[in-house]
Amino acid sequence: MSRAAVLCGLGGALPATAVTNEELAAQLDTSDQWIRTRTGIGLRYVVAPGEATSDLAVAAGERALESARRTGGDKAADVDLVVLATSTPDRPCPGTAPGVAHRLGLGTVPAFDVAAVCTGFVYALATAASMITAGVAQRALVIGADTFSTILDPTDRTTRAIFGDGAGAVVLRAGESGEPGALLGFDLGSDGGGADLITVRAGGSRQRSTGEPPVEGDQFFAMEGRPVFTEAVINMSESSQRLLDRVGWTPAALDKVVAHQANVRILHAVGEQLGLEEKQIVVNLDRVGNTVAASIPLALTDAAAEGDLLPGHRVVLTGFGGGLTWGSAALVWPDIAPVTA
Ligand code: COA
């Protein structure tokens, strides 16, 4: 056995306002039927005016810390590292994580953001786990939080149907590789050749250095749906398979794949590529949409709260997103109680 990062707390948070497909159809040229059949999404949540990513991150962080306390006692919430995955920070500068750590009363712990869009949570998890195994940290709070409603083009029926706001968080502690909850391995990758497929064109140094205001529309999130669909299926399948090979699990021995909740057709296609049955694939996007960096921890929270994810289950998490980026993680599910919204 060797030193490992062990998952010991889990929580999620959603904003108060739910938006149904029917409400979108009243504003845009779309329908409940189109959105359900093409994406599997029925509902998403959006922040209120003035509400920010950090507000959701703090709520999810509090719940993950409470979850850690319930199984490990008060000391379980004494984290010495905060890693926040987000592509919708409160402000371009500074990072959002230090403010989140401050509001959580965590003192002067190191806190920083990781930007890998929908893969952000897996990248943040790998970063925090590596810092724990290296002995740089003992306990980490890892949060995925995004508010894509703040960067969507209000007239774009496709992205408005897909994306929702939310936050999910886990607590990791130093432990042993043989324990339930130990992160057993990661597979991470990127392909910057696909950077233009998922992007906000304006607002960065490339546009600002021109001295010109952004071209109308470039301040909004833009995505090329079809190639993104294909790349998501290929990269989540291949990344999961590489990790399964490394960990020594067959797809049949796997209990659950918790993939980034982008589109139910993507989830089924990944399942097909890996030769999985439908019951092995966790789905919660019908209730929350694509919540970007929050997607995987929110899916974990829902699945664990509903008894779909049980102690001893062999689990692979897999994500894909802008960058392009992708990543997977493997663990045996621990006996923890998630704290939900
Ligand atoms: N309501 C009704 N029609 C819509 C629509 C909506 N909300 N959004 C798009 N359409 C239309 C398109 O305009 C197009 O019309 P046209 O044929 O007249 O041009 C038609 O539906 C088909 O569009 P297409 O893009 O081929 O549909 P699709 O079946 O590929 O589904 C996505 C579109 C965006 C749902 C799908 O490509 C997808 O999920 N991509 C991945 C998105 C994603 O996961 N992003 C995040 C990854 S991290």
Side-chain angles (χ1 to χ4, degrees), residues 29-31 34-35 38-39 118 157-158 161-163 198 223 225-226 228-229 260 262-263 265-266 290 320-322:
D29 183 15
T30 188
S31 65
W34 191 95
I35 299 171
R38 303 311 293 163
T39 72
C118 298
R157 61 181 177 175
T158 307
I162 293 172
F163 290 96
I198 297 171
M223 175 185 77
R226 284 226 172 152
V228 167
F229 190 109
H260 170 53
N263 183 321
R265 294 186 292 133
I266 292 176
N290 177 347
F320 170 83

Side-chain angles (χ1 to χ4, degrees), residues 299-324:
L300 289 174
T301 306
D302 276 357
E306 287 160 12
D308 196 20
L309 204 50
L310 295 170
H313 272 172
R314 291 176 171 193
V315 181
V316 163
L317 319 179
T318 188
F320 170 83
L324 302 173

Side-chain angles (χ1 to χ4, degrees), residues 1-336:
M1 280 211 279
S2 51
R3 185 175 164 103
V6 177
L7 195 144
C8 64
L10 175 64
L14 292 166
T17 308
V19 180
T20 63
N21 291 348
E22 287 79 7
E23 284 171 284
L24 283 181
Q27 300 167 23
L28 299 160
D29 183 15
T30 188
S31 65
D32 176 53
Q33 203 242 348
W34 191 95
I35 299 171
R36 276 186 201 277
T37 52
R38 303 311 293 163
T39 72
I41 296 166
L43 198 66
R44 76 285 298 142
Y45 291 79
V46 298
V47 286
E51 201 175 8
T53 297
S54 63
D55 300 324
L56 300 179
V58 167
E62 265 167 2
R63 289 177 186 145
L65 293 169
E66 173 57 23
S67 161
R69 266 186 221 106
R70 284 184 192 178
T71 37
D74 279 354
K75 278 191 106 40
D78 287 347
V79 297
D80 56 2
L81 171 67
V82 174
V83 186
L84 170 66
T86 187
S87 302
T88 44
D90 286 13
R91 298 177 274 180
C93 172
T96 303
V100 169
H102 178 73
R103 284 171 61 189
L104 287 169
L106 298 174
T108 56
V109 300
F112 57 91
D113 295 2
V114 167
V117 201
C118 298
T119 319
F121 180 76
V122 181
Y123 267 57
L125 198 65
T127 305
S130 306
M131 289 175 75
I132 287 176
T133 51
V136 177
Q138 301 300 316
R139 284 178 186 276
L141 177 63
V142 182
I143 310 172
D146 269 304
T147 51
F148 260 45
S149 70
T150 64
I151 58 168
L152 297 183
D153 176 349
T155 66
D156 183 350
R157 61 181 177 175
T158 307
T159 52
R160 285 206 47 211
I162 293 172
F163 290 96
D165 303 337
V170 298
V171 179
L172 301 179
R173 64 167 171 82
E176 300 286 338
S177 56
E179 290 183 62
L183 288 158
L184 302 174
F186 290 94
D187 176 80
L188 303 173
S190 79
D191 175 9
D196 290 341
L197 296 179
I198 297 171
T199 185
V200 179
R201 290 187 188 86
S205 57
R206 179 78 65 203
Q207 177 263 315
R208 289 196 311 270
S209 68
T210 64
E212 302 290 328
V215 171
E216 186 52 34
D218 278 5
Q219 74 274 30
F220 294 129
F221 175 82
M223 175 185 77
E224 290 187 38
R226 284 226 172 152
V228 167
F229 190 109
T230 309
E231 290 290 335
V233 174
I234 293 171
N235 287 298
M236 286 198 283
S237 310
E238 291 184 356
S239 174
S240 300
Q241 189 61 60
R242 277 192 298 272
L243 184 60
L244 286 172
D245 292 343
R246 209 171 301 151
V247 175
W249 294 348
T250 62
L254 202 57
D255 292 290
K256 297 289 171 190
V257 170
V258 184
H260 170 53
Q261 305 283 306
N263 183 321
V264 77
R265 294 186 292 133
I266 292 176
L267 298 180
H268 289 152
V270 169
E272 238 168 73
Q273 293 292 315
L274 292 169
L276 302 177
E277 292 178 36
E278 220 167 282
K279 66 174 187 208
Q280 291 170 283
I281 303 163
V282 166
V283 179
N284 83 330
L285 57 71
D286 50 317
R287 288 163 273 165
V288 295
N290 177 347
T291 56
V292 193
S295 172
I296 290 176
L298 277 176
L300 289 174
T301 306
D302 276 357
E306 287 160 12
D308 196 20
L309 204 50
L310 295 170
H313 272 172
R314 291 176 171 193
V315 181
V316 163
L317 319 179
T318 188
F320 170 83
L324 302 173
T325 52
W326 55 87
S328 305
L331 74 161
V332 173
W333 195 250
D335 192 2
I336 55 169

